[in-house]
Amino acid sequence: MSTPQAPIAPPPVEEGAAARAGRSSHARTFSRGFFVKLVLVALIDAIGVYIVMAAIAEGNQAILWATVVLLAVTNWVYFTKRAVPLKYLLPGLAFLLVYQIFVVAYTGYVAFTNYGDGHNATKDQAIEALLVQNEKRVEGTSAYPLVVVERSGPLGGGELGFALDVDGEVRVGTAEDPLHDVDDGVVDDGTVTDVPGWTILTRQQVLERQRDVTGLRVPVSDDPEDGSIRTQDGRNGYVYRSSLEYDADTDRMIDTSTGVEYAPNAEGQFEAPDGTKLPVGWRVTVGFDNFVQAFGDTRYSTPFLKVLVWTLVFAVLSVALTFFVGLFFAVVLNDDRIKFRRVLRALLILPYAFPAFMSYLLWRGMLNRDYGFINTVLLGGVDINWLGDPWLAKVAVMGVQLWVGFPYMFLICTGALQSIPGDIVEAAKIDGAGPVRLWRSVTLPLVLVATTPLLISSFAFNFNNFNIIEMLTEGAPRFPDASVPVGATDILITMVYSISGLDGGAPKNYGLASALSIVIFVIVATISVISFRRTRALEDIN
Amino acid sequence: MATTDLTSTAPATASRRGRRPADPAQVRMGPRRWWRELGWRYVVAVLAIVYAGFPILYVISASLAEGGTLTGSNELFGTISGANYADLGDTRFWNWVVNTLVVATSTAVGTVLMGAAAAYAFSRFRFTGRRVGLSALLIIQMFPQLLAFVAVFLLLLSLGEVVPALGLNSRLALIMVYLGGALGVNTFLMYGFFNTVPKELDEAAKIDGATHAQIYWTIVLRLVAPILAVVGLLSFISSFSDFLLAKLILQSEENWTLAVGLYQWVSDLLSANWGLFAAGAVISAIPVVVLFIFLQRYIVGGLTAGSVKG
């Protein structure tokens, strides 16, 4: 996507070097590179125009305008003589804007809404869903003879519909497409026999797709209050109408059978005066409710606190344990007289080269209570419930983390030890420092100075080490007292995953999950600020 | 894999015990002193290697075991058969391998290209907003994309209604999401390295009439090849290992990556997938291990420049 390669052409004779240097841009020189760029931008434009058309068809304003702006900026940047830095920055920036900056900002927005199961959509969509869900067969209406049809042609995709004879006119509709008149439909003796553009299913085909046919709901018109046609036998259709009615003027849902009026409430649901609520709601902003629920409601706050503490313990212990074990091995092998040192080192970093997520899965199998290698072979057939007991599971997680993580620390400590200048060590020895003193006052401080930034980023990484928990324990064992899907080994990010309901284990609650994500963002950002202060990365900018 | 050496080094070191170093430059020492200064180091090293290596040995043995169950895998190299490897052909495993390689390679290439271009701009041009841009990138780094997975899911839900190829259950969409993290994580690593390439080279080329694009593609990129290799490898491994986003986005089994597929095999305790998992893990680990062995020197340098795994 960046400006393509061009052969180094010999400088044109008629131009002075200074003049050339003044406008080093492909924008106006018709070289090979310019044409490659032209093709690439044209391709992006074509894709962009396609997205714009699709967005218009779907009526999605946000995607439409975002695409238009991105396209306009792209074309301007690559065909202007100026904005040279942007030519290099734009591709990465575009992705960064959409898939990182936007999603983080959007997380912030969702955190203040009740987005989730029961509040999945806009108010209009919720009204429509309520009307459709409460449809009942209208008493006393007569049956419409109908036939089941399938859209013919390669683009039909097996879409089913009903064709009815209404006063000699053939009308066809599908689940997506309300009933509409079809010209040239043939009606013979009260049944439809031919519909252009549609294939009439035989009795046998209807039986084969019985479930699709009886589940098919063809709206009578665009207005959900007009109801729909459904069939039980594939021959007779009945009109179904909603027992609810929406009155747009008063913004009320009225149950036509009981006369109860439901008014919209602040939570994004229709509520009757006696407090009963209709099941489908819509998204509304709820202010700090999610945060209040997370920290104020004891059903949630108690497990959250436990999880927060364990997350911190896990991250700190991970770094400390792996660091000291890695450092110990690095010190042991840090002697020039050892033979095969390179081979020994290469063997020690084996766990590091083995992809981490597979290591977690491997240990999960090895730690299996009844058949795992650890219990049955290494420990000679004991029955230790490694992954099922709250404390043992934590120990197991730490043990696996140690195995996966120590080679990395071994690597960086080896590097740090080798970069300690020999003359400092010599000087300390001449000053009479013994091995212990030498270690405490020279070696360890120098190693720590070199590795501290890495230890901090390792801490930040483990703070969100989703894989080890999800692959090894899935957060189990679950807290017995909690009504929330959280367990003893869950860390913050796996807890957010469970609460969001995206793993299918709980009702979806995007709002609460996003609110918790924001809390984690704050913690991680704090850690990062501390680490940047330490590493003084900011000085590089100047 | 170096596991064959594991068996050969242990006796080798044992046979050397008590042998005096043949190097005349070294001080001759008695066995007692040799033990105190060197011998114990060998013992510790061998113990450490056994600790580091036995799970790897176990997984290789389990992949070769005849019974594909956990129990059947407990005897190290008790039975040797290729049954598990052959059985992989009846699953979607090779599908997952292709998906993973496609996704991880595309992500790595895209990340290297976009990250290098951005680093070049920050390192070589002086423009309004440069310092602000660099500081903003530092701040953006503090908000890991992974943590916004709920929002990523919701974004793809909407995008998918408009363009299915950019929505849920699309490998392209997953690559796009990974590329969103390309600039934030790697630009600084590259930026520092680009600054070590002398500017005089650019200026000499400019005076000879090269455009900025020619300088970038033909001069600078070749000089920073090592850092490109490191960033490419790190990006490859991180998308290779990502489970959360891949699981959320790739919903149907034929689109899964290895992380999602192997997880499914192991977490599904009812079935005897252990042998399949072991065979699959060995096969999947080989390319990563080979990459590590080849790029080990670069990686250590790159790691100490501030990237992290585990």
Side-chain angles (χ1 to χ4, degrees):
Chain A
M1 283 185 60
S2 18
T3 337
Q5 186 165 346
I8 297 191
V13 186
E14 70 275 9
E15 281 191 320
R20 288 275 307 164
R23 52 175 189 81
S24 52
S25 159
H26 265 323
R28 302 293 162 88
T29 45
F30 291 92
S31 60
R32 201 181 67 178
F34 174 79
F35 287 107
V36 176
K37 178 169 88 179
L38 200 63
V39 169
L40 282 176
V41 177
L43 198 70
I44 292 165
D45 284 352
I47 295 168
V49 169
Y50 166 72
I51 296 177
V52 167
M53 310 265 280
I56 291 173
E58 277 290 327
N60 193 320
Q61 295 289 328
I63 293 177
L64 168 69
W65 289 112
T67 315
V68 168
V69 168
L70 277 176
L71 275 186
V73 170
T74 305
N75 285 283
W76 175 74
V77 163
Y78 285 108
F79 291 112
T80 173
K81 261 175 79 170
R82 308 181 14 220
V84 173
L86 260 182
K87 290 181 166 69
Y88 289 90
L89 286 171
L90 187 69
L93 274 186
F95 278 99
L96 190 76
L97 265 176
V98 176
Y99 289 104
Q100 179 147 9
I101 297 175
F102 171 77
V103 292
V104 170
Y106 193 57
T107 304
Y109 162 73
V110 175
F112 293 94
T113 67
N114 60 2
Y115 201 168
D117 275 356
H119 296 278
N120 250 327
T122 61
K123 188 171 173 184
D124 291 345
Q125 288 164 317
I127 291 167
E128 190 170 325
L130 280 170
L131 294 178
V132 169
Q133 282 178 15
N134 288 285
E135 280 184 348
K136 294 188 181 67
R137 190 171 143 190
V138 182
E139 295 300 327
T141 51
S142 57
Y144 289 91
L146 57 74
V147 289
V148 182
V149 291
E150 187 181 8
R151 204 187 283 274
S152 40
L155 296 174
E159 193 186 5
L160 289 179
F162 295 144
L164 297 81
D165 159 36
V166 184
D167 309 327
E169 278 290 337
V170 176
R171 308 198 79 199
V172 174
T174 66
E176 304 292 321
D177 231 354
L179 285 180
H180 52 279
D181 287 359
V182 181
D183 300 333
D184 308 329
V186 181
V187 182
D188 184 35
D189 193 21
T191 46
V192 182
T193 51
D194 182 39
V195 193
W198 298 82
T199 318
I200 296 177
L201 295 192
T202 62
R203 196 77 207 131
Q204 186 57 40
Q205 287 169 312
V206 170
L207 289 175
E208 277 167 12
R209 304 177 65 172
Q210 194 176 3
R211 280 182 81 181
D212 297 343
V213 171
T214 53
L216 183 61
R217 169 188 177 277
V218 176
V220 173
S221 73
D222 282 330
D223 184 354
E225 292 193 15
D226 286 346
S228 63
I229 303 284
R230 304 184 191 204
T231 183
Q232 291 303 318
D233 55 7
R235 287 202 183 107
N236 297 305
Y238 291 95
V239 178
Y240 281 63
R241 272 214 192 95
S242 183
S243 59
L244 288 173
E245 218 170 61
Y246 177 65
D247 185 346
D249 300 334
T250 57
D251 193 20
R252 296 274 187 281
M253 271 283 188
I254 300 152
D255 190 329
T256 48
S257 53
T258 59
V260 176
E261 289 197 9
Y262 295 86
N265 65 10
E267 275 91 59
Q269 281 171 311
F270 283 109
E271 196 177 343
D274 66 353
T276 50
K277 298 184 184 77
L278 293 176
V280 183
W282 58 95
R283 243 179 330 204
V284 288
T285 47
V286 292
F288 284 90
D289 282 10
N290 289 316
F291 295 92
V292 169
Q293 185 180 23
F295 298 108
D297 180 343
T298 50
R299 282 179 315 146
Y300 287 86
S301 59
T302 315
F304 289 179
L305 203 64
K306 283 182 188 163
V307 169
L308 178 64
V309 170
W310 161 239
T311 309
L312 286 166
V313 167
F314 166 74
V316 170
L317 268 186
S318 287
V319 175
L321 268 179
T322 52
F323 177 72
F324 281 114
V325 171
L327 179 63
F328 173 69
F329 290 148
V331 169
V332 167
L333 284 181
N334 193 36
D335 190 316
D336 298 337
R337 294 166 302 180
I338 293 182
K339 299 201 166 45
F340 309 112
R341 202 154 59 132
R342 287 195 50 192
V343 177
L344 296 177
R345 276 186 180 152
L347 285 177
L348 260 192
I349 59 171
L350 263 186
Y352 184 50
F354 195 77
F357 78 87
M358 291 190 215
S359 309
Y360 303 140
L361 291 171
L362 173 63
W363 279 93
R364 181 180 183 160
M366 289 181 15
L367 288 166
N368 181 293
R369 180 179 185 173
D370 303 320
Y371 315 110
F373 186 79
I374 305 280
N375 272 356
T376 49
V377 179
L378 278 190
L379 302 176
V382 293
D383 177 29
I384 301 179
N385 191 3
W386 285 112
L387 301 177
D389 174 86
W391 285 104
L392 278 176
K394 287 188 167 107
V395 170
V397 167
M398 290 310 321
V400 172
Q401 179 61 27
L402 174 64
W403 184 83
V404 171
F406 90 85
Y408 168 72
M409 297 293 181
F410 170 77
L411 270 179
I412 61 174
C413 290
T414 299
L417 285 170
Q418 287 180 333
S419 62
I420 293 178
D423 47 8
I424 294 184
V425 180
E426 284 302 313
K429 278 183 178 162
I430 289 168
D431 286 348
V436 176
R437 184 62 201 268
L438 185 72
W439 168 247
R440 202 167 50 91
S441 305
V442 178
T443 319
L444 188 61
L446 284 173
V447 168
L448 278 176
V449 165
T451 54
T452 297
L454 292 175
L455 297 186
I456 292 175
S457 39
S458 176
F459 172 84
F461 176 86
N462 279 312
F463 197 88
N464 290 317
N465 193 340
F466 181 88
N467 276 13
I468 186 170
I469 304 299
E470 195 60 26
M471 300 258 173
L472 198 63
T473 65
E474 297 181 36
R478 284 277 290 270
F479 288 133
D481 53 341
S483 51
V484 280
V486 181
T489 53
D490 261 321
I491 56 174
L492 285 167
I493 190 167
T494 58
M495 177 183 78
V496 172
Y497 182 58
S498 302
I499 298 253
S500 72
L502 287 169
D503 59 350
K508 293 185 172 50
N509 192 341
Y510 304 137
L512 184 58
S514 298
L516 290 167
S517 293
I518 299 289
V519 174
I520 310 179
F521 274 134
V522 171
I523 299 171
V524 173
T526 314
I527 297 166
S528 306
V529 169
I530 295 167
S531 99
F532 285 141
R533 284 247 170 108
R534 283 259 177 201
T535 52
R536 305 208 176 89
L538 285 163
E539 285 182 6
D540 293 346
I541 291 178
N542 305 328
Chain B
M1 294 273 307
T3 37
T4 46
D5 301 350
L6 182 66
T7 47
S8 63
T9 45
T13 44
S15 69
R16 279 174 196 279
R17 272 175 212 164
R19 253 187 60 182
R20 290 176 181 182
D23 191 349
Q26 285 192 352
V27 189
R28 289 176 160 251
M29 46 183 163
R32 189 177 264 186
R33 183 161 164 222
W34 182 89
W35 267 111
R36 206 179 58 225
E37 292 195 10
L38 276 182
W40 67 275
R41 293 176 190 267
Y42 286 114
V43 175
V44 172
V46 168
L47 287 176
I49 287 168
V50 169
Y51 168 63
F54 89 86
I56 310 268
L57 270 187
Y58 165 81
V59 77
I60 294 171
S61 136
S63 73
L64 295 168
E66 222 162 334
T69 59
L70 267 173
T71 323
S73 313
N74 278 341
E75 202 183 334
L76 283 186
F77 300 104
T79 50
I80 306 279
S81 90
N84 289 324
Y85 289 92
D87 289 347
L88 285 179
D90 307 333
T91 64
R92 292 201 180 273
F93 175 77
W94 294 108
N95 241 349
W96 302 337
V97 169
V98 171
N99 292 341
T100 308
L101 287 179
V102 166
V103 169
T105 311
S106 319
T107 306
V109 170
T111 300
V112 165
L113 284 178
M114 296 195 306
Y120 177 65
F122 281 128
S123 159
R124 288 302 192 261
F125 299 118
R126 292 291 174 271
F127 52 95
T128 353
R130 176 174 165 272
R131 284 186 57 183
V132 174
L134 277 169
S135 317
L137 271 185
L138 262 186
I139 292 166
I140 289 166
Q141 270 191 28
M142 299 180 192
F143 298 95
Q145 185 194 30
L146 191 69
L147 270 178
F149 66 89
V150 175
V152 168
F153 178 82
L154 298 175
L155 169 69
L156 293 194
L157 209 62
S158 308
L159 272 175
E161 285 168 6
V162 175
V163 189
L166 294 180
L168 293 173
N169 205 14
S170 144
R171 282 157 293 180
L172 178 66
L174 184 65
I175 295 170
M176 298 285 232
V177 173
Y178 289 155
L179 287 180
L183 222 54
V185 183
N186 302 300
T187 309
F188 270 89
L189 195 58
M190 291 187 165
Y191 170 72
F193 202 94
F194 275 59
N195 284 342
T196 62
V197 175
K199 275 201 175 157
E200 288 76 11
L201 290 172
D202 303 21
E203 273 149 22
K206 219 176 212 168
I207 289 166
D208 287 345
T211 63
H212 61 81
Q214 287 167 337
I215 294 170
Y216 173 66
W217 289 100
T218 56
I219 300 172
V220 176
L221 274 194
R222 280 160 210 205
L223 291 170
V224 296
I227 201 73
L228 299 188
V230 169
V231 167
L233 180 80
L234 290 170
S235 151
F236 182 93
I237 288 183
S238 78
S239 44
F240 181 95
S241 316
D242 170 68
F243 171 73
L244 178 53
L245 291 169
K247 177 127 196 320
L248 283 186
I249 293 171
L250 305 172
Q251 295 171 324
S252 63
E253 206 174 324
E254 68 270 13
N255 286 341
W256 282 356
T257 57
L258 279 169
V260 184
L262 294 180
Y263 169 84
Q264 202 67 19
W265 277 351
V266 175
S267 68
D268 194 359
L269 289 174
L270 298 171
S271 54
N273 287 332
W274 188 246
L276 284 178
F277 161 74
V282 170
I283 290 175
S284 328
I286 288 170
V288 183
V289 172
V290 168
L291 274 176
F292 254 93
I293 290 166
F294 274 102
L295 298 172
Q296 195 190 326
R297 186 165 304 169
Y298 291 134
I299 294 167
V300 176
L303 283 176
T304 41
S307 40
V308 175
K309 177 202 164 190

